Amino acid sequence: MPYDDSPPPTRRARPLSVAAALAAVCLTAAGCGGGQEPGEAGAASPRPGGDAATPTASASPSAKPPPKGPLTGRTVVVDPGHNPGNRDHTREINRQVDIGTGRKECDTTGTATNDGYAEARFTLDVSHRLRALLEAEGARVRLTHDADRPFGPCIDERARIGNEAKADAVVSVHADGSAVGNRGFHVILPAGVKGGGADTSKIVKSSADLGARIAGHFARTTGSAPSNYIGGNTGLDTRDDLGGLNLSTVPKVFVECGNMRDPKDAALLTSASWRQKAAQGLADGITSYLKG
């Protein structure tokens, strides 16, 4: 669920479809047919503890240099949406911050499944799994936070972390909170925005490429369909009201991995094996983008 606003009433979908992105994936990957999910053999494991892992240093590189691999020399910032502690700091996260074109809340608590599995726990778990996969490919990975601070960071700081890292790609991990029957994933892309401290003119095209590649790989690896309620079945949505995108100066997207309030999607989001597939789909999309 985007942490700096609720969805606006009108959405503008990108013309590029997930089908097109999947077609590109299939040109380079074997066994891409019939919506069949690939096996999980060889998938990287999350760091010890899964979504209950002991927090480690957040907006800093891993202590041990990553191994050499196809992403050696590349920097990826992974932004786990929300923070488990936000719910205890509502006054602080309600503080207004500048997003270039206006002002928004510092952060929000995020959503949860009907059984109480919080979006902030989901995003942190998937982010840990994604970090492990990217580091195995040689990337330098930074998290915007690791539940190691009382709340936040605020949306402007989240963007600043990616900018200051000169990241080659930034992915903000989320799950939506919509009505029952609304299912599937979607990737949010930055619109062309210029105002105040915001100027996305240099990242719109590259972010759209990053988003399309992630959408294609995410669909193939998880077996999930593009959202049936946002993006016109493309799996892609463009927004100009999210500070985390408006203030970014490096390629960045948000990924809503599913709808936590729909029981069928919630069953996936609460499954550790599915979360590993989600992380793999994200990693494959990022890798495809970085390798060109």
Side-chain angles (χ1 to χ4, degrees):
M1 183 178 186
Y3 46 71
D4 50 350
D5 203 5
S6 57
T10 302
R11 298 279 187 168
R12 296 181 304 281
R14 300 285 297 189
L16 181 61
S17 68
V18 170
L22 271 170
V25 173
C26 293
L27 289 175
T28 57
C32 194
Q36 187 174 5
E37 296 181 25
E40 295 180 64
S45 298
R47 296 195 173 190
D51 65 3
T54 301
T56 57
S58 60
S60 60
S62 301
K64 185 170 68 174
K68 298 289 185 181
L71 299 186
T72 296
R74 298 303 193 105
T75 298
V76 179
V77 169
V78 177
D79 178 28
H82 314 284
N83 180 327
N86 280 359
R87 64 183 183 180
D88 299 320
H89 295 272
T90 54
R91 181 176 61 84
E92 291 90 344
I93 66 173
N94 283 332
R95 177 174 63 87
Q96 298 280 301
V97 298
D98 189 354
I99 66 166
T101 56
R103 299 184 69 81
K104 291 284 182 67
E105 293 83 1
C106 156
D107 204 351
T108 69
T109 59
T111 188
T113 67
N114 292 333
D115 291 332
Y117 181 57
E119 181 186 359
R121 285 181 57 198
F122 168 83
T123 64
L124 200 59
D125 180 62
V126 172
S127 295
H128 287 164
R129 296 169 187 271
L130 177 56
R131 175 176 61 185
L133 291 166
L134 292 172
E135 286 181 341
E137 295 295 304
R140 175 177 179 263
V141 182
R142 299 181 67 174
L143 299 186
T144 58
H145 77 95
D146 205 352
D148 51 352
R149 52 193 291 168
F151 64 92
C154 292
I155 54 179
D156 55 344
E157 184 182 352
R158 289 175 188 261
R160 189 161 58 248
I161 290 169
N163 297 344
E164 292 177 351
K166 295 181 171 57
D168 296 291
V170 183
V171 174
S172 190
V173 181
H174 286 268
D176 210 357
S178 188
V180 174
N182 289 345
R183 298 197 61 196
F185 73 90
H186 65 280
V187 182
I188 304 175
L189 313 175
V193 170
K194 189 168 186 179
D199 184 357
T200 62
S201 58
K202 294 182 179 180
I203 68 163
V204 167
K205 185 176 180 180
S206 55
S207 296
D209 184 20
L210 171 63
R213 290 174 186 263
I214 287 176
H217 282 278
F218 194 89
R220 175 177 179 265
T221 303
T222 64
S224 290
S227 169
N228 63 7
Y229 63 102
I230 289 175
N233 296 313
T234 66
L236 301 171
D237 183 43
T238 302
R239 290 180 61 171
D240 61 6
D241 62 325
L242 299 177
L245 296 180
N246 289 358
L247 298 175
S248 184
T249 59
V250 294
K252 182 174 182 178
V253 299
F254 283 29
V255 182
E256 298 282 2
C257 297
N259 176 18
M260 300 198 92
R261 305 314 292 267
D262 177 82
K264 292 181 179 178
D265 267 13
L268 299 175
L269 298 167
T270 55
S271 163
S273 62
W274 188 90
R275 292 196 299 271
Q276 186 64 35
K277 291 180 182 180
Q280 187 68 63
L282 294 173
D284 290 346
I286 294 167
T287 300
S288 173
Y289 168 76
L290 294 179
K291 291 173 68 176

